[in-house]
Amino acid sequence: MTNQFTKSTFHSFCDKLIPTDTDLAAIFNAYGYPPFWNRPNTFETLVHIILEQQVSLASALSALNKLKEHLQELTPARLLLLTDEEMRACYVSRQKNSYLKYLAEAILSGQLNLAALENMPDEEVRARLTALKGIGNWTADIYLIFVLQHPDVFPIGDLAAANALKRVKNLPAETTREQVLEVAAQWQPYRSIATMLLWHYYLSAPKKAAK
């Protein structure tokens, strides 16, 4: 992929997008550039993203750290050695236990090759990931943004991004997913960059009661 953003090009991608939208420009003027959030393309990273599904970032990180502490090194082969009781002791739910073990088996069998995903377009990456039990579009979106740094992804299943968009665009809480996606479409081909600005706003702006 030649169009990925990197740490060295991230600000230039932001500079292309920000002038096109006064609301994004307002975020930038108030809080500056977002952090360059990224993660390595590893089994541990995908485990982390699965653990983050539908729970707080803090509790997901707590479970990840417990697994690493227990295993010393978080690899597919080592994870498969853990019993259900040991997984539970690492704060991993029964459902996510099955997802993580399925992922570990897929990597060991060669069904999923993480390095190969680096040269694939968005939809091919999404198809490979969502073919696995426990990986849906949100997980694929986060992987595309944080790990592969693809520039044009909007994670519609991400509540923080969707709620920040509604807030900066002054949209009612009951705005539909389709309407949110329509707004996000205006940021093509830099929807990932817009998402990072929205997360930056979500984390930086004083919280106020939802409308």
Side-chain angles (χ1 to χ4, degrees):
M1 296 291 294
T2 55
N3 198 30
Q4 290 154 297
F5 59 94
T6 64
K7 189 167 189 177
S8 62
T9 63
F10 180 54
H11 284 186
S12 69
F13 274 75
C14 292
D15 293 342
K16 288 173 185 170
L17 173 67
I18 288 165
T20 69
D21 187 296
T22 54
D23 297 309
L24 295 183
I27 294 173
F28 175 73
N29 291 337
Y31 306 110
Y33 289 107
F36 177 70
W37 287 296
N38 72 317
R39 295 179 184 176
N41 188 17
T42 61
F43 171 67
E44 181 182 312
T45 288
L46 254 182
V47 167
H48 191 182
I49 298 171
I50 289 171
L51 289 172
E52 287 176 330
Q53 294 170 1
Q54 299 178 314
V55 301
S56 72
L57 298 182
S59 60
L61 187 58
S62 178
L64 180 74
N65 287 337
K66 201 76 176 166
L67 282 170
K68 288 166 69 174
E69 182 186 310
H70 197 78
L71 293 172
Q72 304 305 313
E73 187 185 359
L74 184 48
T75 65
R78 289 188 179 204
L79 184 115
L80 287 171
L81 294 175
L82 294 181
T83 64
D84 292 348
E85 291 71 27
E86 287 172 314
M87 291 288 273
R88 207 160 37 242
C90 294
Y91 318 133
V92 179
S93 69
R94 188 175 64 197
Q95 191 177 44
K96 288 185 181 175
N97 175 8
S98 73
Y99 295 166
L100 297 182
K101 290 188 172 171
Y102 191 94
L103 171 65
E105 287 167 354
I107 288 178
L108 287 174
S109 71
Q111 180 189 349
L112 180 67
N113 181 334
L114 295 180
L117 299 180
E118 294 174 9
N119 299 308
M120 294 178 187
D122 291 15
E123 290 316 310
E124 182 66 19
V125 173
R126 187 183 306 281
R128 297 290 178 100
L129 290 175
T130 57
L132 302 179
K133 183 172 74 171
I135 294 186
N137 280 318
W138 178 83
T139 302
D141 288 339
I142 297 303
Y143 181 86
L144 282 162
I145 296 171
F146 277 75
V147 180
L148 300 184
Q149 275 102 48
H150 286 203
D152 194 31
V153 178
F154 184 79
I156 186 58
D158 190 88
L159 286 177
N163 288 339
L165 181 151
K166 289 176 190 177
R167 192 169 155 192
V168 301
K169 291 294 181 184
N170 217 15
L171 302 175
E174 61 273 15
T175 300
T176 66
R177 287 165 65 96
E178 290 70 26
Q179 290 167 324
V180 168
L181 284 171
E182 274 179 36
V183 174
Q186 298 165 20
W187 296 323
Q188 293 181 69
Y190 301 120
R191 285 176 290 184
S192 302
I193 311 303
T195 299
M196 289 191 156
L197 279 156
L198 291 171
W199 280 329
H200 188 37
Y201 170 79
Y202 183 84
L203 293 169
S204 305
K207 298 293 182 281
K208 63 182 180 185
K211 294 182 180 177

